[in-house]
DNA sequence: CGACAACTTGACGTTAGTCAACCACGGTGG
DNA sequence: CCACCGTGGTTGACTAACGTCAAGTTGTCG
């Protein structure tokens, strides 16, 4: 039985050494002896599409590493408007704020079926003092989140609708050309780009007409990435 | 002679203990013995309005704590568009990415006369291992930056122009009612809100007509904050 | 006092939002 | 198995908002 076969299972921390995602996630480069120091339970969880990982009013006691799938982080305004501030995928950290803040800052909702490791935040805090590697990893992850956030501001919230949609598609494709990639629903895309579903839909229709985008199954697409990049004048 | 009277001066690290900004900045809560460990030079600098603190292509060797004034962090797109991704003020950290990344992520330009402390990034990295307090401070600052970034996404890049301008004004006023506050030029405001200078200008004209905003000297204004908050339906 | 830059205002064009109808698909139940 | 319904997506006609271009106006600094 592999880890992924069982839905909700507790892991002894030692098994982290076997984790396939470890290399790209929080515990990369950790010395084996540091891994063994972790006696707190780390829980492996699978969430179905649409399920909620945590909400902003919740006490922030856990950090999650994302093994598979796509997770959205949403924020609400007092006026009721909502906005997706980030999308997370394999190797990303959800709820890092648990290390320093009392509550989460967002609602985290699965866009696809996802699998995560649920790590007690005080465990991370402890280890970050003892292990320079984890300390560095943590800072790196934090910086990555900030860079992503800045990029979203400049690339996804600026310019005409067509450009925004194209930039989002480039990001979603993960820069790998001629591969199918996950494409969120129109409403979610709108909440990322601050556009309406109709406008997003029209932009996508236009790209299909121009032959640079092809829809596959539901929430899946293929694109000619280098063409997309030319549209927004990015180096190919 | 106080620190601020001289334009560009090297400080022995011991003087950090006397720094008035220390409480709110990076070195808050540091033990005196930790402060004394710092033998690397910390440079105190004053920049005039319009001067550049660092640019994105520069090697990131220093972190800056902002003592006074307002600093903008700008990012450029390949297409040439530019966007202000954050404004920093008293107590904020500029160039934190120097701890983990090789280069800066933004151009940092003074919007007003500013004063900063220029701290070698490897000093911060070293100390963050030795001092749990600094370690915590660093994580806190990082989280603050991320929260700010998220807020800018949801509050300043969403909704009609009037709302965006109002939300920016609320932020600029620092929530202190009936006090004069710094207001950037229209073009900069536009680059924060992703609006044109004309649209910003019109929005401001409208607010003045409605009697909720009053211009003072150049780049300075006063507003009825609680009225502003009602406009965007925020709790007063 | 003059010159320049920043800001404002107006008229107009373009883009995205709105409202509404329609279509396509998947699941449910008869 | 197929009709039905619901959801998400698309399309069209119209409207409102913002951008653009251009001409003033104000303000500031030498």
């Amino acid at each position: 039985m592999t880890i992924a076969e069982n839905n909700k299972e507790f892991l002894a921390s030692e098994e982290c050494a076997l984790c396939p995602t470890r290399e790209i996630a929080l515990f990369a480069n950790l010395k084996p002896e540091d891994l063994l120091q972790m006696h707190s339970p780390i829980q492996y969880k699978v969430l179905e599409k649409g399920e909620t990982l945590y909400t902003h009013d919740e006490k922030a006691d856990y950090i999650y590493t994302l093994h598979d799938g796509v997770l959205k982080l949403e924020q609400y305004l007092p006026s009721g408007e909502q906005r997706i501030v980030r999308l997370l995928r394999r190797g990303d950290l959800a709820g890092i704020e648990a290390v320093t803040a009392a509550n989460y800052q967002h609602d985290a909702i699965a866009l696809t079926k996802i699998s995560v490791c649920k790590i007690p935040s005080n465990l991370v805090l402890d280890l970050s003092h003892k292990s320079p590697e984890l300390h560095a990893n943590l800072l790196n992850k934090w910086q990555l989140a900030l860079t992503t956030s800045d990029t979203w501001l400049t690339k996804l919230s600026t310019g005409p609708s067509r450009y925004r949609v194209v930039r989002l598609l480039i990001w979603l494709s993960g820069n790998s050309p001629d591969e199918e990639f996950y494409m969120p629903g129109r409403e979610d895309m709108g909440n990322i780009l601050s556009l309406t579903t109709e406008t997003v839909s029209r932009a996508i229709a236009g790209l299909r007409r121009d032959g640079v985008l092809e829809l596959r199954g539901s929430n899946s697409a293929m694109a000619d990435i280098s063409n997309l990049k030319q549209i927004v004048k990015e180096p190919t």
Side-chain angles (χ1 to χ4, degrees), chain A:
Chain A
M1 185 187 75
T2 69
I3 297 174
E5 278 166 25
N6 196 324
N7 202 324
K8 300 189 177 183
E9 178 182 350
F10 285 88
L11 285 185
S13 301
E14 300 89 53
E15 299 193 25
C16 280
L18 304 172
C19 170
T21 319
R22 188 166 67 90
E23 286 312 308
I24 55 169
L26 192 56
F27 293 147
N29 310 319
L30 271 210
K31 300 194 203 79
E33 58 261 37
D34 287 331
L35 278 176
L36 287 172
Q37 278 198 341
M38 309 188 303
H39 293 305
S40 317
I42 291 181
Q43 193 181 356
Y44 184 85
K45 281 183 92 174
V46 173
L47 270 73
E48 294 303 320
K49 174 173 176 172
E51 286 192 286
T52 298
L53 186 59
Y54 57 78
T55 58
H56 69 279
D57 46 15
E58 220 170 281
K59 196 147 170 292
D61 289 331
Y62 299 93
I63 290 179
Y64 300 87
T65 62
L66 189 52
H67 292 258
D68 202 23
V70 182
L71 181 72
K72 66 173 172 180
L73 300 186
E74 285 189 326
Q75 233 176 24
Y76 291 84
L77 266 62
S79 55
E81 299 169 272
Q82 88 192 75
R83 180 94 197 245
I84 297 177
V85 295
R86 240 166 301 146
L87 290 187
L88 306 183
R89 45 190 172 185
R90 185 164 216 273
D92 286 331
L93 240 52
I96 345 180
E97 62 264 37
V99 183
T100 52
N103 295 300
Y104 293 113
Q105 310 275 339
H106 318 99
D107 291 358
I109 298 167
L111 286 182
T112 65
K113 182 177 184 177
I114 62 169
S115 51
V116 298
C117 266
K118 183 176 181 179
I119 309 167
S121 52
N122 52 31
L123 171 65
V124 175
L125 193 57
D126 279 5
L127 261 181
S128 79
H129 287 124
K130 291 174 197 155
S131 157
E133 290 84 5
L134 181 64
H135 183 227
N137 287 346
L138 199 57
L139 290 180
N140 273 323
K141 289 292 174 185
W142 219 298
Q143 198 224 319
L144 189 65
L146 195 53
T147 304
T148 308
S149 196
D150 289 342
T151 306
W152 280 44
L153 259 182
T154 43
K155 293 198 169 177
L156 302 182
S157 306
T158 311
S161 59
R162 183 165 227 253
Y163 281 33
R164 297 198 204 176
V165 170
V166 167
R167 292 204 186 97
L168 178 57
L169 291 175
I170 293 173
W171 187 87
L172 285 168
S173 75
N175 250 319
S176 39
D178 305 324
E179 263 183 41
E180 225 171 300
F181 58 87
Y182 168 76
M183 188 167 77
R186 304 295 170 270
E187 190 178 351
D188 279 332
M189 291 179 74
N191 281 335
I192 293 170
L193 304 169
S194 77
L195 296 171
T196 59
T197 59
E198 291 96 328
T199 303
V200 174
S201 181
R202 280 186 246 268
I204 286 176
L207 294 170
R208 290 175 68 187
R209 263 193 299 278
D210 297 351
V212 292
L213 181 72
E214 202 180 322
L215 301 193
R216 293 299 170 92
S218 89
N219 294 330
S220 186
M222 255 197 56
D224 183 337
I225 308 294
S226 63
N227 257 329
L228 289 184
K229 288 195 175 173
Q230 283 184 352
I231 294 177
V232 294
K233 292 158 199 142
E234 286 199 22
T236 313

